[in-house]
């Protein structure tokens, strides 16, 4: 009985000292300017970095807009420019015909509409994550003054 008691006491003492000696994975965080964010995370938020938030999309074949723009040359995102270049060349070479003009302007129009849609959609989605005060401040910072047309953010 004494032996069991001694073994139990020894196990309890080892367990207690292990618990006391175990360091928290958060040791050192108490010195952070913002306790829940590392300096890299603060920089990421303020710099508009992805910070891994879109990994589910990125790693499953959904390219991110920032990275697509960074890789624009390699991805061949110059379709509008190339169609415009071809149209210009046709005029320059005096090789333009009504059929070629129709084909080139139609393709340019489609591409311009796609680019404009995506660009305006980004503006629409951006206003959804800003407060009304931030939208007003943005307008002032961009030199537009106060919104002259009332609330453009219907329902927000």
């Amino acid at each position: 009985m004494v032996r069991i008691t001694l073994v139990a006491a020894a196990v309890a003492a080892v367990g207690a000292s292990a618990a006391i000696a175990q360091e928290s994975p958060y040791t050192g965080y108490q010195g952070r300017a913002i306790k829940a964010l590392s300096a890299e995370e603060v920089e990421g938020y303020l710099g508009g970095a992805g910070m891994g938030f879109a990994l589910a999309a990125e790693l499953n074949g959904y390219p991110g807009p920032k990275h697509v723009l960074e890789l624009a040359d390699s991805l061949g995102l110059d379709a509008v420019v190339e169609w415009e270049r071809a149209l210009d060349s046709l005029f320059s070479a005096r090789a333009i015909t009504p059929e070629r003009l129709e084909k080139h302007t139609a393709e340019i129009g489609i591409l311009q509409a796609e680019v404009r849609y995506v660009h305006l959609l980004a503006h629409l989605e951006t206003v959804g994550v800003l407060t009304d005060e931030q939208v007003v401040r943005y307008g002032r910072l961009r030199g537009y003054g106060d919104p002259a047309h009332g609330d453009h953010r219907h329902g927000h």
Side-chain angles (χ1 to χ4, degrees):
M1 183 77 159
V2 171
R3 185 173 181 185
I4 294 174
T5 305
L6 287 175
V7 170
V11 169
V14 169
S17 65
I20 293 169
Q22 185 178 20
E23 193 171 279
S24 167
Y26 309 118
T27 299
Y29 285 23
Q30 65 274 22
R32 291 178 170 182
I34 301 172
K35 305 302 186 260
L37 298 176
S38 69
E40 294 80 21
E41 289 170 316
V42 171
E43 185 178 322
Y45 278 118
L46 297 177
M51 299 172 28
F53 289 152
L55 284 178
E58 179 78 18
L59 299 178
N60 283 297
Y62 293 83
K66 178 180 179 180
H67 303 300
V68 166
L69 292 175
E70 291 169 347
L71 300 169
D73 290 340
S74 299
L75 293 174
L77 299 182
D78 55 359
V80 174
V81 174
E82 288 306 313
W83 276 95
E84 287 284 359
R85 187 183 325 276
L87 181 62
D88 188 72
S89 294
L90 289 171
F91 274 100
S92 177
R94 303 248 185 252
I96 194 72
T97 64
E99 295 79 20
R100 288 179 172 168
L101 179 62
E102 181 179 14
K103 176 183 175 183
H104 281 70
T105 56
E107 187 63 32
I108 290 167
I110 290 168
L111 292 169
Q112 285 177 335
E114 289 174 2
V115 169
R116 186 171 189 200
Y117 170 75
V118 170
H119 190 106
L120 290 172
L121 183 59
H123 282 257
L124 184 63
E125 291 175 351
T126 299
V127 81
V129 298
L130 299 175
T131 66
D132 292 336
E133 179 186 325
Q134 289 170 321
V135 172
V136 169
R137 190 175 326 139
Y138 172 86
R140 288 183 187 140
L141 291 169
R142 295 284 292 166
Y144 309 139
D146 289 328
H149 299 89
D151 183 14
H152 298 287
R153 307 177 64 218
H154 304 285
H156 183 83

